[in-house]
Amino acid sequence: MKKIALITGASSGIGKELARIHASKNGDLILIARRTEELELLKKELEEKHAIKVWIFVKDLTSKNAAKEVYEFTKSNQLEVDYLFNNAGFGGHGFFVDRPIAKDLEMIDLNVSALVELSHLFLQDMKKRKAGKILNTASTAGFLPGPLQATYFATKAFVVSFSEALAHELKPHNIGVTALCPGPVKTEFEKTAGMTGGNLFEKAASAKSTAEKGYRAMEKGKVICISDPVLNILIQYIMPFIPKAIIPGMVQKMQTI
Ligand SMILES: NC(=O)c1ccc[n+]([C@@H]2O[C@H](COP(=O)([O-])OP(=O)(O)OC[C@H]3O[C@@H](n4cnc5c(N)ncnc54)[C@H](OP(=O)(O)O)[C@@H]3O)[C@@H](O)[C@H]2O)c1
């Protein structure tokens, strides 16, 4: 049977690639982001290439009641969401004290609040159906404190922790929850975060390979997917032996442009 996937942040980067993968598996799609033109172009591309249907819903997920409106959109179109991809997110470079607080609060609204509310809404139906999958795009940033991106790293730590807890709670209900944790990926993220000019993204992974790894991990029911193999070894096997006190300094050095 055709699976319906809802993807936030589908207008570029990892979200766009997740949409292409799901479409290639003959799945229908509900695509969410703020930019209409990008979503319409993707809808056209995917409907022409595959025998699928794509709905788009243009929404700023930081706006009031956005998650409820997304949910109501699916209900009014009689769409049951099988896979929820909480992928929209952004970062922001600079010392926390010097950054505009409004931008960091907006980041929390998108990276954390929208993800939590959408999960809660769609889980009601998944629980009734005893089926469903959620893929949350977290980050390797979720395993570290992040000087020069303090709020961003903290939002991703939330996503990792939240996903692990939900995966455990929802196992008896046959619902899978996966946190995709990429390292640097070549997308619009670098520019949006104000990080162009540094060398962090020089050897960045592609959005396509990152999305493929995340999608596969979700299908397999993995809880954590660190998509970069080197960072996977570093985080899982080496970091536990590094004294905690020196980690913030190391991260700050890496984040310095
Ligand atoms: N790139 C990396 O190095 C990297 C590494 C680890 C984790 N991640 C995570 O991966 C996820 C996807 O990012 P990406 O790398 O693919 O970056 P991207 O190309 O900038 O994509 C971000 C997506 O989020 C959407 N978005 C941003 N603000 C939004 C809002 N207020 N409401 C609705 N949608 C919004 C954007 O669309 P519109 O502008 O059209 O709204 C876009 O589709 C994020 O959660 C990010 O934190 C990225």
Side-chain angles (χ1 to χ4, degrees):
M1 226 188 64
K2 256 192 173 156
K3 298 281 184 209
I4 302 181
L6 186 147
I7 305 179
T8 69
S11 62
S12 72
I14 300 167
K16 196 180 201 174
E17 295 302 330
L18 285 168
R20 286 182 171 138
I21 296 166
H22 189 72
S24 74
K25 291 174 184 281
N26 231 23
D28 289 338
L29 283 156
I30 306 156
L31 307 177
I32 323 280
R34 293 167 302 180
R35 284 171 293 175
T36 313
E37 204 189 331
E38 276 77 357
L39 290 182
E40 275 174 352
L41 278 172
L42 185 60
K43 172 181 161 70
K44 191 169 177 292
E45 173 196 317
L46 299 178
E47 285 184 338
E48 277 176 8
K49 212 165 163 191
H50 309 280
I52 61 158
K53 177 127 183 66
V54 179
W55 289 262
I56 60 174
F57 189 62
V58 176
K59 194 82 225 159
D60 180 342
L61 290 171
T62 66
S63 63
K64 204 164 177 271
N65 291 324
K68 281 188 198 75
E69 287 174 34
V70 169
Y71 182 70
E72 276 155 20
F73 174 81
T74 65
K75 290 282 137 188
S76 61
N77 285 283
Q78 275 113 44
L79 301 170
E80 290 288 359
V81 171
D82 298 295
Y83 300 164
L84 170 64
F85 293 89
N86 281 311
N87 168 76
F90 71 93
H93 189 265
F95 289 112
F96 173 72
V97 69
D98 301 324
R99 285 179 48 79
I101 188 62
K103 207 66 203 161
D104 280 30
L105 294 175
E106 188 188 324
M107 196 188 289
I108 295 168
D109 285 344
L110 181 64
N111 299 8
V112 176
S113 302
L115 178 147
V116 169
E117 198 176 351
L118 285 170
S119 301
H120 195 261
L121 287 163
F122 286 103
L123 276 171
Q124 308 304 315
D125 299 327
M126 289 181 182
K127 190 179 161 202
K128 279 185 206 138
R129 294 200 309 268
K130 287 198 177 305
K133 292 187 191 301
I134 297 180
L135 180 75
N136 293 325
T137 309
S139 170
T140 47
F143 301 101
L144 301 156
L148 285 176
Q149 277 212 80
T151 303
Y152 178 70
F153 275 53
T155 64
K156 294 302 179 180
F158 180 99
V159 177
V160 170
S161 166
F162 183 65
S163 305
E164 284 183 304
L166 284 196
H168 186 79
E169 285 186 3
L170 294 165
K171 224 184 203 164
H173 301 284
N174 193 35
I175 299 166
V177 182
T178 303
L180 167 62
C181 305
V185 184
K186 210 71 197 146
T187 65
E188 294 175 16
F189 177 92
E190 181 184 7
K191 188 162 173 252
T192 310
M195 296 185 73
T196 33
N199 53 15
L200 196 62
F201 288 84
E202 260 172 20
K203 290 185 183 145
S206 73
K208 187 169 183 276
S209 71
T210 305
E212 280 167 356
K213 286 177 187 169
Y215 197 100
R216 213 174 304 132
M218 178 195 77
E219 285 184 312
K220 284 187 179 162
K222 276 186 78 175
V223 179
I224 298 288
C225 167
I226 301 176
S227 47
D228 181 309
V230 176
L231 289 176
N232 185 33
I233 291 170
L234 197 70
I235 286 165
Q236 296 217 64
Y237 305 108
I238 300 175
M239 239 180 61
F241 298 101
I242 301 176
K244 253 180 149 0
I246 69 166
I247 290 179
M250 285 168 54
V251 177
Q252 179 162 327
K253 215 169 173 183
M254 274 159 45
Q255 301 285 323
T256 301
I257 297 171

